[in-house]
């Protein structure tokens, strides 16, 4: 038996789904968090003896006529997949809008149960809804619920299970529409029907227009002058707390003034490793190495960065729950409009700071196809959690652990997105239709700490899984490839290894960015396309002597070895910054490219997007090196290096220019043809 | 007049919506924003405005605000 959850965006469907199934799907306080259908079995405690009950969560929709692509998932599902029961989650704070969709669901013929959700808020405002009368008028059961605190959920489950197998009579049947005018007439009648019900069942003590505090907060947060600085401060705090304060304390420990030291996780794992190694003294060295370096070290691999990333996930989850995301979209809408995007693109970018994959997926709520594709190819430019180890390594080794390196990379990321949007815009031509921006402003609510903790642990766990699988395997493969030659025998000099010889041609390509022909950097950049953390691991494995300075398992430097690492890599600080930029702004990982492919749905756009990322990363990296070297007065390496670099930058720029000219000409031709046609 | 000339805190009746985008107008309709319905202006800004349609708050940009005729 399948029970589908349907209703308006941000009415609490996924929160209800999580309570009913015990899952922890992503929730957030804005319209359009869920972009795909998800399903899971109903928890035993709610299924009262019924077996095989599946709960299906659907993206929010305002009506059965879809506006954006994720809304069509909902209307297609309830029409064609014929679930046994539809649980219509109704936002009780906006009854008059929600019931429009309810009356459409009631027409399908599948039994509907209305869950009157968010009753905690209506109760607080002393607004009353007569559920008995509502149920009579609609001709279906109505259950008061509050998914946030689990109130009424068991009753809802019971009523839904009882309704299965029945039929549903519609209290209002819209006339079959043949054209737009008659469709509008039918919809007007539907709203009139809904309005009559609402005025009969609802008594409001607090009108929706009376939410003075909410509006006052909005006045400040979306203020023309203050909005953007406030957003910048909020994001800065997210990074500062996760990377310098709380996150760093958990990872590295704290030494108090009186000398008392609270160990960090990294130290604790090291101590555990040393302890086990002590226990295993005299055992087979291979086995010891496997357990101490492999297994314990493998756990440690994650621990090094996990606290930083998890604290960041936690803070982002709080922001998502608060209702701030919609306001950020509003604040940045005018900025992004200038480059052909809109405020809709902002949410994917902010989510992308955690991980590019959900960031790219969030693009689905963008209605305009061109805008959606452009956002999906630009979201991976935001430095994500996986790029943190790379930033930390270079900031630590070359810039005295200076914070400005990390923070500035985020600002560069935003600038690159704006620049990239401008490029995409001029290459693909401005949109055919006028763009309008409308964003629902959800009510602010106190963010739930427990929900943020759950979200944090879940995303932290997938980080662990990734580190224990993809990254571990890659490091292992890199290790083997640089230890063995093509004859499959161990090599004495890593320069003769499979890895070195395979990466060597690419070393020439990347030489203009780092100023030296070094296969190690080429290999690191290439493995970085699989997953960004690999950059650190591969560098550590490849540079002779670096393995002792970087704890390979923790993907982090040992304390106080920054200068030595810089010495082993033998590149200048400018080159290090350039190499960092190259790696941050080229494609982030295979997973992100997969997500891009799913959302972009066009090979031409996908390859265009990857080419843009490659070209942008390389050009920026080279220019950082070139101009940095120019200012510091250091040497450029061989003369061919800047020549090659500028050639790539020129080809990249010229391609963009040519494509934009072509698109302009096509647009002009189209306009001409149209003019002729009208004449 | 359009929403662009509206006053903060006042409730108006939508007279006409002219966006040239039928899908968008159908979407606005499903929110309860169509001719003959009430719309309250919460806050008017240069870049757009916050409006109250039924019991929901929405931010709309000035392009859309200019396309909604009110009285």
């Amino acid at each position: 038996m399948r029970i589908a959850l349907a209703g308006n965006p941000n009415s609490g469907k996924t929160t209800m789904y999580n309570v009913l199934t015990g899952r922890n799907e992503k929730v957030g306080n804005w319209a359009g968090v869920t972009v795909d259908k998800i399903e899971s079995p109903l928890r035993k405690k709610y299924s009262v003896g019924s077996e095989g009950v599946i709960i299906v969560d659907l993206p929010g929709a305002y009506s059965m006529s879809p506006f954006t692509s994720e809304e069509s998932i909902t209307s297609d599902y309830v029409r064609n997949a014929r679930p046994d029961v539809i649980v219509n989650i109704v936002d009780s704070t906006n009854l008059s809008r929600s019931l429009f969709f309810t009356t459409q669901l009631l027409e399908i013929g599948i039994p509907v149960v209305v869950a009157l959700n968010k009753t905690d808020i209506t109760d607080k405002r002393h607004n009353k809804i007569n559920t008995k009368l509502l149920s009579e008028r609609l001709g279906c059961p109505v259950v008061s619920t509050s998914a946030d605190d689990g109130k009424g959920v068991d009753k809802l489950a019971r009523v839904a299970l009882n309704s299965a197998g029945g039929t549903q009579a519609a209290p209002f049947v819209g006339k079959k529409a043949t054209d737009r005018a008659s469709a509008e007439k039918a919809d007007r009648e539907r709203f009139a029907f809904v309005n009559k019900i609402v005025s009969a069942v609802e008594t409001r003590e607090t009108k929706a227009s009376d939410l003075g505090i909410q509006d006052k907060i909005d006045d400040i947060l979306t203020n023309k002058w203050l909005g953007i600085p406030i957003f910048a401060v909020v994001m800065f705090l997210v990074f500062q707390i996760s990377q310098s304060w709380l996150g760093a304390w958990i990872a590295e420990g704290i030494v108090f003034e009186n000398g008392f030291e609270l160990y960090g996780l990294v130290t604790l794992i090291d101590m555990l490793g040393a302890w086990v190694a002590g226990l295993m003294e005299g055992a087979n060295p291979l086995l010891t190495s496997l357990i101490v370096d492999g297994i314990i070290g493998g756990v440690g691999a994650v621990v090094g960065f996990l606290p930083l990333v998890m604290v960041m996930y936690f803070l982002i989850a709080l922001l998502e729950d608060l209702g701030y995301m919609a306001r950020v979209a509003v604040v940045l809408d005018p900025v992004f409009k200038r480059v052909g995007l809109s405020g809709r693109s902002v949410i994917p970018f902010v989510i992308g700071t955690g991980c590019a994959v959900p960031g790219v997926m969030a693009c689905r709520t963008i209605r305009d196809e061109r805008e959606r594709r452009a956002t999906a190819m630009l979201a991976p430019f935001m430095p994500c959690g996986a790029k943190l180890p790379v930033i930390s390594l270079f900031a630590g080794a070359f810039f005295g652990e200076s914070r400005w390196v990390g923070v500035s990379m985020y600002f560069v990321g935003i600038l690159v997105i704006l620049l990239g949007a401008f490029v995409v815009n001029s290459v693909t031509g401005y949109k055919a239709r006028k763009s309008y921006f409308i964003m629902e402003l959800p009510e602010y609510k106190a963010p739930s700490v427990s929900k943020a903790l759950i979200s944090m642990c879940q995303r932290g766990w997938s980080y662990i899984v990734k580190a224990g699988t993809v990254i571990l395997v890659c490091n292992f493969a890199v290790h083997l490839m640089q230890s063995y030659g093509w004859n499959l025998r161990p090599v004495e000099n890593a320069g003769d290894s499979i890895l070195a010889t395979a990466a060597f041609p690419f070393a020439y390509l990347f030489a203009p960015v780092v100023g030296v022909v070094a296969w190690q950097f080429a290999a690191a950049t290439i493995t970085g396309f699989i997953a960004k953390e690999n950059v650190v691991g591969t560098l550590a494995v490849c540079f002779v002597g670096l393995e002792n300075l970087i704890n390979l398992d923790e993907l982090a430097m040992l304390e106080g070895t920054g200068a030595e690492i810089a010495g082993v890599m033998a590149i200048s600080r400018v080159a290090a910054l350039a190499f960092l930029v190259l790696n941050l702004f080229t494609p982030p990982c295979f997973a992100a490219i997969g997500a891009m492919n799913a959302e972009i749905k066009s090979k031409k756009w996908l390859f265009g997007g990857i080419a843009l990322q490659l070209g942008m990363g390389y050009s920026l990296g080279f220019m950082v090196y070139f101009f940095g070297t120019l200012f510091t007065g250091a040497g450029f390496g061989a003369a061919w290096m800047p020549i090659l670099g500028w050639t790539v930058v020129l080809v990249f720029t010229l391609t963009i220019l040519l494509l934009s000219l072509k698109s302009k000409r096509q647009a002009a031709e189209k306009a001409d043809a149209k003019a002729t046609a009208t004449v | 007049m359009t929403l662009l000339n509206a006053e903060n805190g006042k409730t108006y009746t939508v007279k006409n919506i002219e966006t040239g985008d039928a899908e968008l107008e159908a979407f606005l309709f499903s929110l309860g924003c169509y001719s003959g319905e009430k719309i309250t202006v919460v806050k008017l800004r240069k870049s757009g405005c916050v409006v109250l349609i039924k019991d929901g708050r929405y931010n709309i940009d000035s392009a859309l605000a200019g396309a909604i005729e009110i009285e």
Side-chain angles (χ1 to χ4, degrees):
Chain A
M1 188 193 343
R2 280 167 311 145
I3 300 178
L5 304 181
N8 284 178
N10 208 28
S11 57
K13 292 174 295 302
T14 305
T15 309
M16 184 66 81
Y17 173 85
N18 286 343
V19 177
L20 287 171
T21 62
R23 306 268 313 163
N24 291 307
E25 294 299 337
K26 184 182 171 66
V27 291
N29 187 11
W30 77 87
V33 181
T34 310
V35 293
D36 215 342
K37 175 183 79 108
I38 36 175
E39 49 182 59
S40 200
L42 178 65
R43 286 177 77 173
K44 276 240 167 58
K45 73 176 206 188
Y46 293 124
S47 55
V48 277
S50 312
E51 272 183 36
V53 183
I54 303 288
I55 305 291
V56 184
D57 186 25
L58 296 165
Y62 292 108
S63 86
M64 286 296 282
S65 334
F67 183 58
T68 53
S69 71
E70 92 278 5
E71 279 186 51
S72 62
I73 295 175
T74 304
S75 50
D76 287 350
Y77 186 85
V78 291
R79 268 204 198 103
N80 305 328
R82 309 294 300 180
D84 298 275
V85 182
I86 298 173
V87 169
N88 174 214
I89 312 283
V90 165
D91 179 351
S92 61
T93 66
N94 199 341
L95 197 61
S96 47
R97 184 190 69 200
S98 313
L99 292 184
F100 183 80
F101 187 44
T102 307
T103 58
Q104 289 181 327
L105 291 173
L106 287 166
E107 274 185 51
I108 299 171
I110 298 169
V112 173
V113 176
V114 166
L116 203 55
N117 203 22
K118 299 195 185 179
T119 45
D120 50 331
I121 303 178
T122 27
D123 285 351
K124 217 182 285 167
R125 297 210 184 118
H126 307 290
N127 294 336
K128 291 205 173 52
I129 296 170
N130 184 338
T131 47
K132 197 164 155 267
L133 187 58
L134 181 62
S135 164
E136 275 168 27
R137 291 288 186 99
L138 292 175
C140 71
V142 175
V143 182
S144 283
T145 60
S146 167
D148 254 342
D149 43 34
K151 218 184 75 197
V153 177
D154 44 356
K155 186 174 172 200
L156 176 69
R158 233 176 16 247
V159 174
L161 290 171
N162 282 339
S163 306
T167 50
Q168 180 70 54
F172 176 89
V173 180
K175 289 197 188 73
K176 279 270 177 299
T178 43
D179 54 21
R180 215 186 131 205
S182 62
E184 195 189 306
K185 190 163 168 279
D187 280 347
R188 277 175 185 274
E189 284 164 7
R190 185 182 300 278
F191 252 128
F193 174 77
V194 167
N195 289 342
K196 247 194 354 230
I197 296 184
V198 173
S199 57
V201 302
E202 190 182 54
T203 36
R204 272 180 174 260
E205 239 174 70
T206 318
K207 281 205 209 119
S209 54
D210 296 342
L211 302 175
I213 299 165
Q214 300 260 346
D215 289 328
K216 284 208 181 77
I217 300 173
D218 272 345
D219 274 355
I220 300 166
L221 290 187
T222 61
N223 180 284
K224 194 179 157 200
W225 303 110
L226 293 176
I228 291 178
I230 290 174
F231 174 60
V233 169
V234 167
M235 288 318 274
F236 179 77
L237 281 177
V238 167
F239 302 127
Q240 191 68 12
I241 293 171
S242 60
Q243 280 153 63
S244 301
W245 299 338
L246 188 59
W249 294 334
I250 302 172
E252 293 156 21
I254 317 171
V255 182
F256 291 96
E257 271 177 33
N258 60 10
F260 176 73
E261 190 182 352
L262 207 62
Y263 293 126
L265 280 175
V266 176
T267 329
L268 289 177
I269 293 285
D270 280 348
M271 285 161 76
L272 177 71
W275 180 68
V276 173
L279 282 186
M280 295 189 63
E281 216 168 315
N284 183 337
L286 270 177
L287 188 67
T288 314
S289 159
L290 182 76
I291 291 179
V292 175
D293 300 337
I295 297 174
I296 299 177
V299 175
V302 181
V303 172
F305 277 92
L306 198 60
L308 279 67
V309 177
M310 281 177 74
V311 171
M312 188 160 86
Y313 287 157
F314 175 74
L315 294 172
I316 293 180
L318 287 184
L319 282 183
E320 288 175 345
D321 206 21
L322 178 69
Y324 185 49
M325 297 297 249
R327 276 73 185 187
V328 177
V330 169
V331 165
L332 292 177
D333 178 59
V335 179
F336 281 94
K337 271 224 178 77
R338 281 167 188 263
V339 289
L341 299 179
S342 77
R344 290 261 160 211
S345 310
V346 176
I347 292 176
F349 295 149
V350 176
I351 295 176
T353 54
C355 173
V357 174
V360 170
M361 278 174 66
C363 294
R364 207 170 296 173
T365 58
I366 302 171
R367 176 184 166 227
D368 184 86
E369 186 174 61
R370 202 200 61 83
E371 208 179 300
R372 181 172 64 245
R373 289 172 166 173
T375 309
M377 64 169 74
L378 296 171
F381 279 131
M382 240 17 236
C384 64
K387 290 174 181 171
L388 284 181
V390 190
I391 297 177
S392 293
L393 173 71
F394 281 89
F398 291 91
F399 299 96
E401 311 208 356
S402 158
R403 284 292 151 204
W404 68 261
V405 179
V407 172
S408 63
M409 285 305 144
Y410 286 93
F411 284 99
V412 174
I414 294 169
L415 291 179
V416 171
I417 284 175
L418 291 173
L419 182 67
F422 179 74
V423 167
V424 176
N425 214 344
S426 44
V427 168
T428 60
Y430 280 80
K431 305 170 228 201
R433 68 178 157 204
K434 204 168 172 189
S435 163
Y436 296 101
F437 175 70
I438 176 163
M439 189 87 197
E440 185 170 359
L441 298 175
E443 277 176 37
Y444 291 101
K445 62 171 194 192
S448 150
V449 173
S450 61
K451 263 196 242 166
L453 281 173
I454 290 170
S455 155
M456 173 187 92
C457 291
Q458 209 173 22
R459 296 177 71 176
W461 175 245
S462 50
Y463 192 83
I464 293 177
V465 169
K466 185 173 147 205
T469 52
V470 181
I471 315 284
L472 205 72
V473 169
C474 280
N475 276 347
F476 186 67
V478 165
H479 199 96
L480 282 184
M481 281 169 72
Q482 70 103 44
S483 316
Y484 290 89
W486 291 99
N487 56 5
L488 300 182
R489 280 162 201 243
V491 287
E492 283 199 5
N493 179 358
D496 304 324
S497 66
I498 299 179
L499 187 67
T501 42
F504 205 66
F506 295 100
Y508 283 96
L509 183 64
F510 293 122
V513 180
V514 284
V516 284
V517 181
W519 60 269
Q520 293 92 333
F521 289 115
T525 307
I526 292 165
T527 53
F529 292 144
I530 301 171
K532 226 20 128 193
E533 299 95 324
N534 278 335
V535 172
V536 177
T538 306
L539 283 178
V541 172
C542 291
F543 275 103
V544 180
L546 209 57
E547 222 161 334
N548 304 327
L549 302 177
I550 297 182
N551 185 336
L552 190 55
D553 301 322
E554 278 156 26
L555 293 182
M557 302 182 309
L558 302 178
E559 247 168 77
T561 57
E564 280 181 71
I565 293 180
V568 171
M569 286 197 203
I571 53 171
S572 63
R573 291 172 78 174
V574 170
L577 190 64
F579 184 69
L580 178 62
V581 168
L582 167 80
N583 280 292
L584 291 190
F585 299 114
T586 43
C589 60
F590 280 179
I593 293 176
M596 277 166 65
N597 182 32
E599 298 308 321
I600 288 177
K601 293 193 180 74
S602 148
K603 288 283 169 280
K604 197 170 132 195
W605 275 78
L606 176 69
F607 289 121
I610 296 171
L612 176 74
Q613 292 172 0
L614 287 170
M616 191 69 96
Y618 188 93
S619 303
L620 284 176
F622 168 70
M623 293 213 273
V624 166
Y625 181 68
F626 184 84
F627 290 110
T629 310
L630 216 58
F631 283 124
T632 53
F636 281 110
W640 61 266
M641 289 179 187
I643 298 175
L644 175 65
W646 279 116
T647 313
V648 174
V649 173
L650 273 181
V651 169
F652 178 59
T653 324
L654 277 178
T655 314
I656 291 170
L657 278 177
L658 281 176
L659 288 172
S660 338
L661 281 178
K662 192 176 142 201
S663 115
K664 243 186 215 141
R665 211 179 49 229
Q666 277 172 347
E669 272 167 18
K670 235 183 240 168
D672 274 352
K674 213 173 171 188
T676 331
T678 31
V679 168
Chain B
M1 66 189 237
T2 68
L3 279 176
L4 290 175
N5 327 101
E7 274 175 57
N8 281 342
K10 275 202 173 170
T11 301
Y12 300 87
T13 306
V14 178
K15 207 169 139 199
N16 190 25
I17 302 175
E18 230 20 279
T19 62
D21 181 341
E23 274 179 55
L24 176 73
E25 282 169 29
F27 173 71
L28 289 172
F29 196 106
S30 68
L31 301 180
C33 178
Y34 53 92
S35 60
E37 271 294 310
K38 296 256 177 292
I39 187 165
T40 305
V41 178
V42 177
K43 178 89 184 176
L44 196 68
R45 281 198 210 90
K46 208 179 150 222
S47 57
C49 60
V50 179
V51 291
L52 193 69
I53 302 167
K54 301 243 170 227
D55 295 320
R57 273 171 171 65
Y58 306 85
N59 186 94
I60 61 179
D61 63 0
S62 47
L64 187 53
I68 300 178
E69 216 181 309
I70 50 168
E71 56 184 7

